[in-house]
Amino acid sequence: METITGKSSQAIQDETLLIRRILDGHTELFRQLAGRYAGQVLRMVASLIPSQEEAEEVTQDALLEAFQSLARFDARQASFQTWLMRIAYHTALKHYRQHHKTITVVEVEQQRLDTFPDDETDALLDDTDRVELMERAIETLKPDDQMLLNLYYFDNRPMREIACITEREESYLHSRLQWIRKRLAITIKSLESEESLSEK
């Protein structure tokens, strides 16, 4: 049997024993445990914080917090991997809000979001010639929306796992992703219009 993270029951049992040993005083084993997921944590943090050095520092902060909070880990609520990613998610958002300039979010009228065609949204987002515009559009999203996009589309994580990481309801995340897609499509179209006007 496998969990939503793809780990077998045996692997989870082995991990639980390792955590018990760490809590019993073998703290040096935490490096081994955290090392299994440090790369995943760094990738998620780096999706929001592009500076490699800064992303590595935030990753270390998240791992330290996980170590200090390990006694509160409850395997009945989530796997260690998901629990660690949740800590990293909140650590990255907190760091971003404290140390980075506030994103200027251009508001889009709800009516335009509601009426923007789905087929046009798909066409704009699937067009490989618009990759640069897509990257610029993503930068206009709020930090938590950027991370949600990364977790779902680039990390291909199951929605149940994302719900655990972000501590949000799955229904909310589904509707938020639909909103984000429309928002990106409208932003890409606006950026294209601006470029066309500047070329005239």
Side-chain angles (χ1 to χ4, degrees):
M1 181 179 139
E2 293 200 349
T3 65
I4 56 174
T5 57
K7 295 175 72 67
S8 67
S9 297
Q10 184 60 48
I12 292 172
Q13 287 176 8
D14 292 344
E15 199 161 82
T16 302
L17 289 174
L18 184 58
I19 290 170
R20 260 188 225 142
R21 290 191 65 196
I22 295 168
L23 293 174
D24 285 341
H26 298 277
T27 55
E28 72 283 358
L29 294 175
F30 184 78
R31 183 183 296 273
Q32 175 187 334
L33 176 63
R36 299 175 181 179
Y37 309 112
Q40 292 180 40
V41 171
L42 179 58
R43 280 196 303 276
M44 182 177 72
V45 170
S47 71
L48 182 64
I49 301 170
S51 162
Q52 181 71 15
E53 183 179 353
E54 193 177 353
E56 287 174 357
E57 288 177 4
V58 174
T59 296
Q60 289 304 313
D61 288 344
L63 294 177
L64 178 59
E65 184 176 341
F67 174 71
Q68 294 172 337
S69 307
L70 191 59
R72 296 199 296 273
F73 167 66
D74 186 350
R76 295 167 299 181
Q77 300 294 322
S79 68
F80 175 78
Q81 177 186 3
T82 300
W83 180 77
L84 177 59
M85 295 299 282
R86 180 193 298 167
I87 289 174
Y89 170 84
H90 289 293
T91 302
L93 283 176
K94 181 179 178 182
H95 177 90
Y96 188 92
R97 287 166 180 152
Q98 288 178 342
H99 299 280
H100 289 261
K101 65 180 183 180
T102 304
I103 294 172
T104 303
V105 178
V106 179
E107 295 299 329
V108 177
E109 291 182 7
Q110 188 61 45
Q111 184 180 2
R112 190 171 185 205
L113 286 164
D114 293 339
T115 58
F116 199 80
D118 290 334
D119 57 348
E120 189 171 358
T121 296
D122 295 338
L124 285 164
L125 299 186
D126 294 341
D127 188 347
T128 54
D129 291 333
R130 291 183 168 97
V131 171
E132 185 182 340
L133 289 173
M134 169 75 85
E135 291 173 351
R136 287 169 59 191
I138 289 173
E139 289 175 359
T140 69
L141 294 173
K142 294 178 180 178
D144 45 347
D145 285 337
Q146 289 186 36
M147 294 190 79
L148 172 57
L149 202 67
N150 185 74
L151 287 167
Y152 187 74
Y153 286 107
F154 301 110
D155 276 4
N156 296 311
R157 292 183 181 276
M159 190 59 79
R160 278 196 300 151
E161 185 183 353
I162 297 173
C164 287
I165 291 170
T166 61
E167 298 182 280
R168 294 280 196 173
E169 295 291 333
E170 286 185 54
S171 57
Y172 168 83
L173 295 174
H174 277 295
S175 62
R176 191 66 184 174
L177 280 168
Q178 291 176 353
W179 182 91
I180 290 170
R181 283 177 60 81
K182 289 281 184 82
R183 174 74 170 71
L184 287 174
I186 292 170
T187 303
I188 288 171
K189 200 165 182 180
S190 297
L191 291 170
E192 282 185 327
S193 297
E194 288 173 11
E195 287 186 352
S196 296
L197 288 171
S198 65
E199 290 171 0
K200 289 180 180 179

